[in-house]
Amino acid sequence: ANLAAIRLIARETEIDFDELRADVNDLLLSAASCTVGEVLAQHPASQGVASVVGLIALAAAQGVRTDATERVAWQGGDGVERSTVVPEHRFTGRVM
């Protein structure tokens, strides 16, 4: 396998938390807070469901859980749009 193929395999199997933190922090430059769904609306899930899972993990660790739910959407590797309802978490400060 060539290096590009190996990088693609690694990207598909590992959540890119650096990218997700940058996406959240980008939104927080112009808003006091944002939800996982709002992040995905501005920065589509580049890794499909892995991006969604990663954002939820970041939100659970560094965000604030609300009493609400929200619909989050992403495009699967097969090009099909998908969505689900998740507990709402709000990012209220820069994520590390």
Side-chain angles (χ1 to χ4, degrees):
N2 64 34
L3 184 56
I6 292 169
R7 284 184 178 149
L8 180 61
I9 291 167
R11 178 157 171 78
E12 290 175 351
T13 58
E14 293 182 23
I15 296 172
D16 188 346
F17 283 101
D18 289 339
E19 176 184 75
L20 298 176
R21 282 188 287 269
D23 291 347
V24 172
N25 291 332
D26 178 63
L27 258 67
L28 292 173
L29 290 174
S30 60
S33 68
C34 61
T35 66
V36 170
E38 292 166 344
V39 173
L40 290 168
Q42 293 297 313
H43 298 280
S46 67
Q47 292 184 281
V49 72
S51 294
V52 177
V53 170
L55 281 170
I56 292 169
L58 281 175
Q62 298 185 49
V64 177
R65 171 78 164 84
T66 73
D67 292 332
T69 60
E70 70 174 335
R71 181 165 294 279
V72 296
W74 69 95
Q75 185 176 42
D78 56 3
V80 175
E81 291 291 324
R82 294 186 168 78
S83 68
T84 192
V85 175
V86 298
E88 183 183 82
H89 288 82
R90 188 160 287 282
F91 294 101
T92 59
R94 183 171 177 77
V95 294
M96 304 296 193

